[in-house]
Amino acid sequence: MEKIAKIDSVDIYNKLRGVETLHPLISIIDMSKAKAMPAQTLNFGVYAVFLKELKCGELKYGRNYYDYQEGTLVFISPGQVVGVQPNVTKFEPKGWGLIFHADLIKGTLLGKHIQEYSFFSYESHEALHLSEKERQIVMDCFEKIQEELKQNVDKHSKTLIASNLELFLNYCTRFYDRQFITRDNVNKDILVRFENLLSEYFSSDKPQTIGLPSVAWCAEEMSLSANYFGDLIKKETGISPQEYIQSAVINIAKDKIFDIDLSISEIAYNLGFKYPQHFTRLFKKKVGMSPMEYRNIN
């Protein structure tokens, strides 16, 4: 069985790469000055962000490989397992790594909002591709954190480091918004696939056997992480995937309501609702009247 290396601290990762630990909870690593990563699987217990400036191997998530490009940011959160498989050809690794422990941001504003940075849960093939200008902004943020790590630790250190880290993550949010926009054709293709997926789902017997389609199920069917899928759909449509699914259900329900041979309860079960009252509540919320009122008026 393949041995999995557990990365529970910043120091463990630094030792793996042969670099000095300046702060126990955060590290900025210049990959050109670090030891090459051996081929192995890593279970991260820390947050990690890697700026890849030269293709120096492949990252593997599960059975999928991510063939990353130059100038790409890859985000990893605690609990993720990543397989590293370097190329057999010789290379000079270039790029930067940012490693930080969750304890660093406990009690800070960033600690309260870290879950809002959904890109930490994106799959590796959903990485952030940077322009040269964006790359320079990333490097400026890294340099600010690095400078603070060189200072003597005092009562301001944690606040300043966390503030610079938050600034970096906020820039990444902006860059991802730009990436969603510039990949408009890709986004529209995903939206069409989402519409077709829902159409096929409700044309089958899945609603009766499985129930209503979940966002996680839809994302998996489209080979996307739930967070990336959710963010992309919201950027493209202005509503969440959950709201999009609910709207699709209501539109189908409106057609079925005209079939007076079907009771409201039968319609609810056919659409995948476990309890008819849940269907009635959603319908009234979306349409402004109950299914029976809608049937009678029309």
Side-chain angles (χ1 to χ4, degrees), residues 20-246:
E20 181 184 2
T21 299
L22 299 177
H23 191 289
L25 298 178
I26 186 169
S27 183
I28 299 284
I29 301 171
D30 181 350
M31 297 301 181
S32 66
K33 299 177 181 176
K35 286 166 53 178
M37 179 67 78
Q40 61 184 314
T41 299
L42 305 176
N43 185 339
F44 279 80
V46 295
Y47 289 93
V49 183
F50 296 105
L51 172 59
K52 301 293 185 178
E53 294 187 336
L54 179 69
K55 181 177 175 181
C56 53
E58 292 178 318
L59 292 180
K60 184 180 181 184
Y61 274 50
R63 297 180 180 180
N64 298 319
Y65 288 96
Y66 169 56
D67 186 10
Y68 51 79
Q69 303 169 0
E70 295 181 19
T72 301
L73 278 177
V74 179
F75 299 83
I76 297 170
S77 62
Q80 287 184 300
V81 176
V82 180
V84 181
Q85 300 187 357
N87 287 335
V88 294
T89 55
K90 290 185 178 180
F91 61 89
E92 290 295 328
K94 288 178 63 180
W96 294 81
L98 165 64
I99 315 294
F100 67 96
H101 197 281
D103 287 351
L104 174 75
I105 57 176
K106 274 190 169 59
T108 68
L109 188 62
L110 176 58
K112 294 177 182 178
H113 299 286
I114 189 67
Q115 299 301 325
E116 295 175 12
Y117 297 101
S118 52
F119 43 75
F120 274 109
S121 296
Y122 289 177
E123 294 291 346
S124 55
H125 64 272
E126 300 160 347
L128 177 58
H129 303 277
L130 301 173
S131 67
E132 181 53 38
K133 183 179 179 181
E134 290 168 347
R135 180 198 164 280
Q136 189 54 56
I137 291 173
V138 168
M139 290 308 304
D140 288 343
C141 291
F142 282 5
E143 287 171 14
K144 284 186 175 69
I145 296 173
Q146 187 78 309
E147 280 301 312
E148 189 57 39
L149 294 180
K150 294 177 182 177
Q151 307 297 321
N152 292 328
V153 177
D154 57 30
K155 64 180 182 179
H156 304 290
S157 298
K158 181 176 181 177
T159 302
L160 289 170
I161 292 172
S163 296
N164 282 312
L165 183 55
E166 185 175 14
L167 176 65
F168 162 66
L169 296 177
N170 286 339
Y171 271 119
C172 291
T173 300
R174 169 186 279 180
F175 299 158
Y176 257 116
D177 283 349
R178 183 271 310 155
Q179 181 162 297
F180 283 130
I181 293 170
T182 56
R183 297 189 169 195
D184 192 50
N185 289 336
V186 175
N187 297 351
K188 282 185 167 50
D189 177 62
I190 290 174
L191 187 57
V192 169
R193 286 168 55 205
F194 184 28
E195 291 172 349
N196 291 338
L197 181 68
L198 292 178
S199 178
E200 291 170 6
Y201 190 92
F202 286 107
S203 298
S204 69
D205 62 354
K206 286 187 174 70
Q208 295 87 47
T209 57
I210 302 175
L212 291 169
S214 67
V215 174
W217 181 86
C218 292
E220 186 176 356
E221 287 294 303
M222 300 175 71
S223 300
L224 297 170
S225 67
N227 276 352
Y228 186 89
F229 175 64
D231 290 344
L232 188 150
I233 295 299
K234 191 157 190 177
K235 292 288 188 308
E236 194 66 29
T237 66
I239 60 175
S240 70
Q242 184 64 38
E243 292 172 306
Y244 197 96
I245 293 169
Q246 289 174 349

